[in-house]
Amino acid sequence: MLKNQWFDGVMHCENTAKAYVVLTVMGSVGSTPRPQGTKMVVTEDRIFDTIGGGQLEHLSIQKARELLTNKTQNQHVEYFPLGAKLAQCCGGATHVLFEVFCQHVNQLMIFGAGHVAQALVPIISQLPLSIIWVDSRQEMFDQVDKSQMQLPANVTTIIADDCTDAFSEYASNFVLVMTHDHQLDYDLVHTAIQIENVDYLGLIGSQTKAKRFQTRLTNHGISEHMLEKLVCPIGMTDIPGKRPIEVAVSVAGQLINLLNKHQSNVTQNSQAAWLQTKEIAKLL
């Protein structure tokens, strides 16, 4: 059964890194379809829950999707008279708060479920990340199950015959490529490096592998500017060792540095949005 309450929508968007808007009925006067505090969630292609239906909900969904096109986290309050203007018989009026959440910053896709990935995921799943873990081999995830490593809610495993298909289903800022197949690694890197939103593209391997991939990518039309995204070898150079856990800790450290840089930018934006919300609240 499909879960369709507003908090199901938040969980769905957090786990799939989709941008979404939380709509909240507030400041109602007179008779309105739903009471103050009622919420719904709107994405670019889905809705969860309801704030009462009718023209109020229809126009609110339109406004939410308009806000999503700006691709920035912000808050906005809209006033809706429910009389003749919206053709609703309630006759009251309400304000709706729109809270826009952009999820692309905290999305990581990991390709490959080998020893390093199995050591890495339990560490980085404790970070503020939504993780999509992709492999073409069911038996690799079966190994994870047998090891009794319970996957947290922010980790989604995907079995895909063609791993590159995952890019069309999930947005991502961070990509880690560590599969068992060099040609598959190349296909994934070639696809990911051309996606505008991918800020970090990590490839497991040596300096020799990095040079070979850079040459092939250049021969296939990838510019020097795009090549700057590619990080190979991955991890922090001051953490030695080649055991899976040592490589995993090294890569986790690199991701922590990246996340902190992104979080600093998000915090600045959130503080500005909070000040804006306080000013709006004074008017209600």
Side-chain angles (χ1 to χ4, degrees), residues 88-114:
Q88 291 193 218
C89 61
C90 301
T94 189
H95 290 86
V96 176
L97 171 64
F98 297 80
E99 298 176 277
V100 185
F101 297 89
C102 297
Q103 293 303 103
H104 62 278
V105 171
N106 294 327
Q107 174 71 16
L108 168 67
M109 297 182 73
I110 302 176
F111 293 92

Side-chain angles (χ1 to χ4, degrees), residues 66-135:
E66 176 188 325
L67 292 170
L68 282 172
T69 62
N70 295 327
K71 301 185 184 301
T72 56
Q73 294 199 173
N74 64 84
Q75 290 81 32
H76 172 79
V77 173
E78 192 89 2
Y79 173 70
F80 294 97
L82 302 179
K85 184 176 180 181
L86 294 188
Q88 291 193 218
C89 61
C90 301
T94 189
H95 290 86
V96 176
L97 171 64
F98 297 80
E99 298 176 277
V100 185
F101 297 89
C102 297
Q103 293 303 103
H104 62 278
V105 171
N106 294 327
Q107 174 71 16
L108 168 67
M109 297 182 73
I110 302 176
F111 293 92
H115 298 299
V116 173
Q118 290 183 30
L120 176 65
V121 168
I123 301 172
I124 60 173
S125 62
Q126 301 173 65
L127 299 172
L129 283 169
S130 175
I131 301 169
I132 305 298
W133 193 5
V134 186
D135 203 298

Side-chain angles (χ1 to χ4, degrees), residues 84-213:
K85 184 176 180 181
L86 294 188
Q88 291 193 218
C89 61
C90 301
T94 189
H95 290 86
V96 176
L97 171 64
F98 297 80
E99 298 176 277
V100 185
F101 297 89
C102 297
Q103 293 303 103
H104 62 278
V105 171
N106 294 327
Q107 174 71 16
L108 168 67
M109 297 182 73
I110 302 176
F111 293 92
H115 298 299
V116 173
Q118 290 183 30
L120 176 65
V121 168
I123 301 172
I124 60 173
S125 62
Q126 301 173 65
L127 299 172
L129 283 169
S130 175
I131 301 169
I132 305 298
W133 193 5
V134 186
D135 203 298
S136 60
R137 303 164 295 169
Q138 176 67 57
E139 63 269 21
M140 300 308 295
F141 290 125
D142 290 342
Q143 287 181 19
V144 173
D145 292 338
K146 289 177 182 177
S147 69
Q148 298 182 343
M149 183 179 87
Q150 186 172 0
L151 293 177
N154 63 330
V155 179
T156 301
T157 58
I158 304 292
I159 304 295
D161 291 333
D162 184 351
C163 291
T164 59
D165 289 344
F167 289 117
S168 63
E169 297 183 33
Y170 299 94
S172 177
N173 256 58
F174 304 148
V175 175
L176 277 173
V177 178
M178 46 178 66
T179 80
H180 61 295
D181 185 320
H182 275 223
Q183 181 56 47
L184 178 56
D185 282 354
Y186 178 80
D187 292 339
L188 290 165
V189 168
H190 184 258
T191 301
I193 207 168
Q194 299 178 74
I195 299 174
E196 184 178 355
N197 288 337
V198 173
D199 298 323
Y200 168 82
L201 173 55
L203 170 67
I204 197 167
S206 62
Q207 291 283 3
T208 300
K209 182 177 181 179
K211 290 178 181 178
R212 288 176 178 170
F213 272 47

